[in-house]
């Protein structure tokens, strides 16, 4: 049986949860009177955000679905949404091998940016409560790698707002149209795994709006509207939704579903009619909404003040999960691992992430209160990362690493630099993780074989530094020194932090020849810490 509304009655005996609400009525009402417009239609949206929305509907306290717009890869809509009537199977992978299936049916309509008229119609609805974003951190970025505004952004700022091309410019124009139409308030909610994500949205929107004001495209009242009637709450999101796994495809096919193959789009998106994800999940949202909001609590969301969200986000992305993930990603690629769970059987790698998290990260993390950092990292290391049914790969996690270093490691380094009782130069395992990324950028594994680097917006610049380097022949390190001083990448000048020499020392050892990565890990993780100093 295909995953379509026509076959809905057959699903009830096949999967663990099917919606109890009237799907057609929900979708009709949501299209006539939309309250939630979402940008970004990928796995984290379908497997977590949409399910939170469905839980709210099932509670009886919310009566609207989501209008979703794909902003980057239109094949997702054409090949995954439309053929399956905007339905998705959410499959939760438990460590004990049990799978839970949930039919997600609250995606009222699936659009692309080409659907300008409909998107504008939604944006003008006075009852619209929020625009949400799951577009990855780079979706908010307005700058090219040289530090200057992207050409498309420059053109947007100088041109007519209605002709905007960059997503942040398009969103700003939607707000301008709403301002002209009704001045109704609205909330822009980033649900991306990015530090201070709400501030990223606000910064981009305000910069574009101000440029239009300076160029005579909009009036001062629009800037006041952005400042006073639009909110940009922070959020912290945590749930791993990796690429579709063959074991999950086989499972849903055994349930009777057909046409469950993974689609690989022309833009290299891996997506299927199902989403596989881990059991653990956290979503904390700053309770700052201007035009009402959905009852997120009914979907298991923590609603909190800004400081609490900041502290939870800092705890996760700088200490308890993200730095560990990135370390496993780069070293996993070098050591030719194909899954994170397999890496968690590696004695040295497990020791490394424990030392980064417990010994070097936790001492500078603020306890947010609603989630205990020690408990969080215990769950990550002992339950989440070792889950063999979570088919997450180091190659996927290594994507865009240059954009992650400043938060995942730089913030902890800053914590040591700013604490009078601590010294950044005393750190050992975070520098070893950074050196591991540099070694990864050589694109040579620990056996001496070449491998393909994961996509990264700074790949051209990074390849220029590392592509000519060979194992055992690391001599001129001037370019690496310059790289380590780049605060945009690392969040801090690592030379000023007095960590450059240590990182370069580790890098040389990791690059000494085939087998040097394993030997270096064994050297520094099987002996007392003082050997590194």
């Amino acid at each position: 049986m295909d995953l379509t509304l026509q076959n809905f009655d057959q699903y009830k005996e096949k999967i663990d949860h099917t919606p109890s609400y009237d799907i057609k009525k929900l979708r009709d009402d949501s299209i006539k009177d939309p309250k939630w417009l979402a940008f970004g239609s990928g796995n984290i949206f379908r497997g977590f955000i949409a399910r939170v929305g469905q839980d709210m509907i099932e509670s009886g306290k919310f009566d609207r679905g989501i209008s979703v717009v794909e902003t980057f890869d239109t094949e997702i809509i054409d090949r995954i949404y439309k053929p399956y009537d905007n339905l998705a199977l959410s499959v939760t992978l438990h460590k004990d091998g049990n799978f839970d299936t949930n039919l997600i049916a609250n995606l009222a309509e699936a659009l692309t940016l080409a659907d300008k008229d409909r998107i504008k119609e939604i944006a003008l609805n006075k009852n619209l409560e929020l625009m949400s974003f799951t577009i990855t951190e780079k979706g908010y970025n307005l700058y090219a790698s040289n530090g200057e505004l992207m050409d498309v952004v420059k053109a947007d700022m100088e041109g007519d707002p209605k002709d905007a091309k960059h997503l942040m410019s398009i969103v700003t124009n939607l707000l301008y149209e709403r301002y002209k139409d009704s001045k109704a308030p609205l909330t822009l909610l980033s649900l991306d795994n990015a530090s201070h994500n709400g501030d990223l949205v606000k910064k981009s929107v305000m910069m574009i709006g101000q440029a239009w004001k300076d160029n005579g495209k909009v009036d001062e009242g629009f800037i006041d509207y952005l400042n006073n009637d639009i909110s940009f709450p922070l959020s912290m999101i945590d749930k791993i939704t990796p690429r579709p796994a063959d074991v999950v495809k086989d499972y849903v096919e055994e349930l009777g579903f057909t046409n469950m193959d993974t689609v690989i789009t022309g833009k290299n998106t891996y997506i299927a009619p199902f989403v596989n994800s881990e059991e653990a999940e956290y979503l904390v949202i700053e309770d700052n909404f201007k035009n009402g909001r959905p009852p997120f609590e009914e979907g298991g969301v923590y609603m909190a003040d800004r400081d609490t969200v900041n502290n939870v986000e800092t705890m996760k992305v700088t200490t308890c999960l993200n730095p560990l993930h990135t370390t496993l990603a780069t070293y996993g690629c070098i050591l030719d691992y194909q899954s994170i769970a397999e890496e968690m059987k590696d004695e040295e790698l497990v020791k490394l992430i424990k030392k980064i998290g417990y010994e070097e990260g936790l001492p500078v993390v603020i306890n947010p209160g609603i989630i205990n950092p020690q408990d969080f990292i215990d769950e990550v290391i002992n339950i989440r990362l070792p889950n063999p049914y979570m088919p997450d790969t180091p190659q996927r996690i290594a994507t865009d690493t240059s954009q992650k270093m400043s938060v995942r490691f730089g913030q902890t380094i800053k914590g040591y630099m700013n604490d009078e009782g601590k010294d950044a130069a005393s750190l050992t395992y975070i520098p070893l993780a950074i050196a591991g990324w540099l070694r990864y950028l050589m694109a040579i594994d620990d056996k001496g074989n070449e491998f393909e680097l994961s996509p990264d917006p700074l790949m051209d610049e990074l390849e220029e530094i590392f592509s000519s380097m060979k194992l055992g022949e690391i001599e001129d390190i001037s370019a690496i020194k310059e790289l380590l001083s780049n605060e945009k990448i690392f969040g801090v000048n690592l030379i000023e932090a007095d960590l450059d020499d240590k990182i370069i020392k580790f890098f040389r050892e990791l690059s000494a020849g085939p087998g040097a990565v394993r030997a270096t890990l064994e050297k520094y993780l099987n002996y007392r810490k003082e050997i590194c100093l």
Side-chain angles (χ1 to χ4, degrees):
M1 59 184 175
D2 286 340
L3 183 63
T4 65
L5 287 173
Q6 184 177 357
N7 297 325
F8 178 77
D9 289 340
Q10 302 178 54
Y11 304 150
K12 296 181 179 180
E13 297 180 359
K14 298 290 185 180
I15 62 179
D16 298 298
H17 179 78
T18 55
S20 59
Y21 54 83
D22 184 329
I23 297 173
K24 184 179 185 307
K25 182 179 187 307
L26 177 89
R27 291 186 174 187
D28 288 345
D29 291 346
S30 302
I31 290 172
K32 292 175 185 176
D33 181 30
K35 292 185 177 180
W36 187 343
L37 176 62
F39 292 95
S41 64
N43 288 329
I44 190 67
F45 170 75
R46 295 189 302 153
F48 190 9
I49 305 307
R51 200 227 65 233
V52 166
Q54 178 155 285
D55 287 351
M56 295 189 293
I57 296 166
E58 296 277 22
S59 76
K61 297 181 180 180
F62 194 55
D63 60 358
R64 290 293 185 271
I66 307 172
S67 300
V68 59
V69 181
E70 175 50 38
T71 63
F72 172 71
D73 194 339
T74 58
E75 282 188 72
I76 294 175
I77 301 301
D78 294 334
R79 300 178 66 181
I80 293 297
Y81 276 75
K82 291 182 179 178
Y84 301 92
D85 290 340
N86 298 346
L87 299 173
L89 276 178
S90 176
V91 184
T92 301
L93 314 179
H94 299 277
K95 188 180 179 181
D96 62 6
N98 289 322
F99 293 177
D100 288 335
T101 51
N102 190 345
L103 180 65
I104 306 301
N106 61 321
L107 304 175
E109 54 187 327
L111 310 166
T112 70
L113 291 176
D115 299 305
K116 292 183 178 180
D117 291 343
R118 175 55 185 162
I119 295 170
K120 178 181 176 180
E121 183 180 12
I122 296 170
L124 294 185
N125 184 35
K126 293 180 181 179
N127 294 328
L128 187 70
E129 295 179 349
L130 74 152
M131 295 179 182
S132 68
F133 301 87
T134 48
I135 58 175
T136 77
E137 185 169 357
K138 58 188 174 184
Y140 310 106
N141 180 42
L142 305 181
Y143 291 91
S145 58
N146 62 6
E148 297 183 0
L149 286 171
M150 296 178 186
D151 289 341
V152 65
V153 175
K154 291 179 183 177
D156 286 348
M157 288 178 170
E158 296 168 0
D160 191 318
K162 72 176 185 297
D163 297 326
K165 299 293 189 297
H166 190 282
L167 177 60
M168 289 295 97
S169 306
I170 292 171
V171 168
T172 307
N173 180 57
L174 291 173
L175 296 177
Y176 182 50
E177 295 292 343
R178 188 175 176 88
Y179 162 74
K180 291 189 296 181
D181 182 72
S182 66
K183 296 183 173 60
L186 192 64
T187 293
L188 270 56
L189 174 63
S190 172
L191 296 168
D192 275 304
N193 179 22
S195 181
H196 298 95
N197 48 20
D199 293 342
L200 295 179
V201 188
K202 182 175 183 178
K203 181 179 179 181
S204 295
V205 167
M206 295 303 301
M207 184 179 296
I208 293 165
Q210 188 60 50
W212 286 342
K213 164 64 173 59
D214 295 342
N215 292 330
K217 309 294 183 180
V218 303
D219 57 34
E220 183 66 36
F222 177 57
I223 305 301
D224 293 339
Y225 172 72
L226 294 179
N227 280 314
N228 300 322
D229 297 297
I230 306 298
S231 64
F232 304 86
L234 304 182
S235 73
M236 189 289 290
I237 185 168
D238 179 25
K239 187 177 180 71
I240 300 174
T241 54
R243 290 175 176 176
D246 288 341
V247 65
V248 179
K249 173 181 177 293
D250 294 342
Y251 176 76
V252 295
E253 287 181 343
E254 288 175 4
L255 293 177
F257 290 95
T258 50
N259 297 317
M260 290 287 110
D261 291 337
T262 297
V263 167
I264 305 175
T265 71
K267 292 187 175 180
N268 207 39
T269 301
Y270 286 67
I271 196 164
F274 61 87
V275 180
N276 38 234
S277 58
E278 65 174 339
E279 179 181 7
E281 62 183 32
Y282 299 90
L283 180 55
V284 186
I285 299 176
E286 179 187 358
D287 199 352
N288 179 20
F289 288 74
K290 292 289 188 177
N291 199 35
R293 67 165 175 84
F296 285 111
E297 297 92 339
E298 301 298 328
V301 177
Y302 294 92
M303 301 304 295
D305 60 32
R306 187 176 183 85
D307 287 342
T308 299
V309 179
N310 261 324
N311 290 337
V312 173
E313 187 262 339
T314 299
M315 175 199 74
K316 170 188 173 272
V317 304
T318 70
T319 300
C320 294
L321 175 59
N322 298 44
L324 316 186
H325 238 171
T326 293
T327 302
L328 291 172
T330 53
Y331 275 103
C333 291
I334 301 169
L335 296 172
D336 198 28
Y337 280 107
Q338 300 303 310
S339 81
I340 295 297
E342 283 300 310
E343 286 189 79
M344 293 302 292
K345 300 175 184 177
D346 187 306
E347 182 180 354
E348 281 77 38
L349 291 180
V350 172
K351 284 183 179 179
L352 178 57
I353 64 170
K354 283 183 176 180
K355 287 182 177 296
I356 289 171
Y358 290 115
E359 292 188 14
E360 297 188 340
L362 283 182
V364 293
V365 163
I366 298 172
N367 189 328
I370 60 174
I371 302 172
N372 181 276
Q374 179 81 41
D375 295 341
F376 190 97
I377 197 169
D378 287 344
E379 180 184 47
V380 166
I381 290 176
N382 299 320
I383 298 175
R384 298 174 65 179
L385 295 180
N387 186 343
Y389 298 98
M390 277 298 297
D392 216 351
T393 67
Q395 292 75 22
R396 183 191 77 86
I397 299 169
T399 301
D400 300 341
T401 300
S402 70
Q403 308 299 292
K404 303 170 181 176
M405 299 298 287
S406 64
V407 173
R408 301 189 178 192
F409 300 110
Q411 293 304 309
T412 295
I413 294 171
K414 282 183 182 178
Y416 277 78
M417 295 174 70
N418 296 332
D419 190 320
E420 292 183 1
K422 293 182 172 61
D423 180 9
S426 69
L427 295 168
T428 294
Y429 303 106
I430 287 175
L432 187 56
I434 295 172
W437 179 53
L438 303 184
R439 173 65 179 80
Y440 158 86
L441 291 170
M442 294 176 68
I444 303 171
D445 68 20
D446 202 30
K447 295 179 181 178
N449 301 316
E450 294 183 359
F451 66 86
E452 183 179 354
L453 297 173
S454 300
D456 193 294
L458 295 185
M459 189 55 69
D460 290 344
E461 295 94 318
L462 295 170
E463 283 188 335
E464 186 176 346
I465 297 173
F466 292 94
S467 60
S468 62
M469 293 187 182
K470 301 182 184 303
L471 296 183
E473 301 178 20
I474 308 300
E475 297 177 2
D476 183 5
I477 49 88
S478 57
I480 296 179
K481 275 272 192 182
E482 184 176 352
L483 178 66
L484 295 178
S485 70
N486 191 326
E487 293 188 33
K488 287 188 176 180
I489 292 178
F490 296 103
V492 62
N493 183 325
L494 292 170
I495 296 176
E496 294 179 358
D498 199 21
L499 288 172
D500 55 314
D501 289 341
K502 185 178 292 187
I503 293 169
I504 291 171
K505 174 179 181 290
F506 289 155
F507 173 66
R508 287 187 185 278
E509 294 183 51
L510 293 165
S511 309
V517 173
R518 176 60 64 188
T520 302
L521 290 173
E522 290 176 347
K523 173 182 177 181
Y524 292 110
L525 291 161
N526 290 332
Y527 294 88
R528 67 184 187 276
K529 181 175 179 180
E530 286 75 11
I531 196 171
C532 306
L533 303 179

